Amino acid sequence: MRRDDDQWDITTSVGATALAVAAGRAVETKRSDGLVNDPYAQAFVDATGKDMPDRPFDDEAWAAQATYLGVRSRFFDDCLSGAAQAGAEQVVILAAGLDTRAFRLSWPAGVTVYEIDQSAVLDFKDRILDQEGADTAAGRIVVPVDLRHDWPAALTGAGFDPSRRTVWLAEGLLPYLPAAAEHLLFERVQELSAPGSRIAVEHFGGSIDKITSSPEFQTMSQQVIGADVRTLFFSEDRDAAPDVWLSGHGWTVTSSLAGDLAQEYGRPLPPGVAEVMGGIELMRADLTG
């Protein structure tokens, strides 16, 4: 079970979920109609020795979940890239895990990508990226700090400038935070965001119980972390949904359902996945003023 100050590496606890997401991106990358191209995802999986399917249709559950991850990645790729093209000079990936957007997206000159996560996760990622010869046109700065601690101090200490427009990403994050930490996260983002900044958020809402109780999700939980993933969530009541909080603090929110986006991208979610995950909200919010 989770504790307020628990730690992990890439094969344990919350860290193993980042590995599962990388495995999903690896599956999606190998599809002829893949919505995400991550040339490093399979290398992360291979480096751990985990036995996970590495082709789109080796395992029906993995293929279905990879479709959702492709939709999610495509949406957030567009959110971040669009903000950078519109003038955001800083990108902050909260709980970055094995995210490789600093390397696989095209960034305008002068953009800096900050990645926040626990040090063991970032150390593993950097080791594999070095082995793969990964290179990026963006400035990339890793910030090894737990989001339950004073991450704003660590971020600004690494060179982040609150006066510059920023695009933030909270992908696959909120259920793993205690309710108080989630509330504080949004307050801190608010304090650090200049007008014209953007945040992109994945909000599970009422879908979380459907997702974690589905047989497919349980199968993957056992394959990757050897436990019920629900033990990694903080199931406390939240004060307000992200879109409600952001709207009340000067952000203009645009929200889409994952199932609708999948249709828009020409990759409808498989029926079982659509029922379970189609109601997840993928949202972007822009700070006016």
Side-chain angles (χ1 to χ4, degrees), residues 33 39 55 68 88 102-103 109 116 121 124 127 141 160 162 177 179 191 202 206 224 252-253 264 267 272-273 280 288:
D33 58 348
R55 292 184 297 276
Y68 170 76
F103 300 89
I116 299 177
V121 174
F124 169 83
R127 177 169 60 84
I141 298 175
F160 176 85
L177 291 176
E191 293 170 357
E202 180 182 27
V224 179
T252 301
V253 180
E264 179 183 326
R267 286 284 304 284
V273 175
I280 294 173
T288 55

Side-chain angles (χ1 to χ4, degrees), residues 160-233:
F160 176 85
D161 183 353
S163 70
R164 297 166 62 192
R165 290 168 62 181
T166 301
V167 54
W168 306 83
L169 178 61
E171 177 184 26
L173 166 61
L174 298 185
Y176 300 101
L177 291 176
E182 177 183 323
H183 183 80
L184 184 58
L185 179 86
F186 285 112
E187 287 187 339
R188 286 171 163 173
V189 167
Q190 178 83 16
E191 293 170 357
L192 294 169
S193 294
S197 293
R198 171 180 294 177
I199 185 169
V201 181
E202 180 182 27
H203 176 48
F204 293 91
S207 299
I208 194 70
D209 290 335
K210 285 184 179 181
I211 296 167
T212 56
S213 62
S214 70
E216 294 85 0
F217 200 86
Q218 289 298 316
T219 296
M220 287 194 299
S221 295
Q222 293 296 334
Q223 280 184 308
V224 179
I225 62 175
D228 187 339
V229 74
R230 288 174 291 188
T231 63
L232 304 181
F233 294 158

Side-chain angles (χ1 to χ4, degrees), residues 80-82 84-85 101-109 111 137-138:
L80 271 59
S81 295
Q85 293 294 336
R101 288 183 173 91
F103 300 89
R104 64 179 181 81
L105 297 185
S106 297
W107 300 104
V111 169

Side-chain angles (χ1 to χ4, degrees), residues 30-114:
K30 292 178 174 66
R31 295 181 63 110
S32 60
D33 58 348
L35 292 171
V36 60
N37 179 24
D38 187 341
Y40 309 107
Q42 189 63 53
F44 293 139
V45 178
D46 292 343
T48 66
K50 286 281 187 179
D51 182 19
M52 290 182 277
D54 63 0
R55 292 184 297 276
F57 305 106
D58 278 350
D59 182 281
E60 184 177 355
W62 274 102
Q65 295 295 329
T67 299
Y68 170 76
L69 291 173
V71 170
R72 183 179 86 173
S73 294
R74 166 73 176 276
F75 176 81
F76 289 133
D77 286 356
D78 291 347
C79 281
L80 271 59
S81 295
Q85 293 294 336
E89 299 175 277
Q90 299 176 133
V91 180
V92 180
I93 303 177
L94 301 162
L98 299 178
D99 188 293
T100 59
R101 288 183 173 91
F103 300 89
R104 64 179 181 81
L105 297 185
S106 297
W107 300 104
V111 169
T112 301
V113 179
Y114 295 90

Side-chain angles (χ1 to χ4, degrees), residues 136-161:
T136 174
R140 174 178 176 261
I141 298 175
V142 297
V143 185
V145 63
D146 193 307
L147 285 172
R148 295 165 295 183
H149 300 160
D150 189 4
W151 61 265
L155 182 61
T156 54
F160 176 85
D161 183 353

Side-chain angles (χ1 to χ4, degrees), residues 182 203 238-246 281:
E182 177 183 323
H203 176 48
R238 312 283 159 149
D239 291 340
D243 54 341
V244 175
W245 193 96
L246 291 164
E281 291 181 89

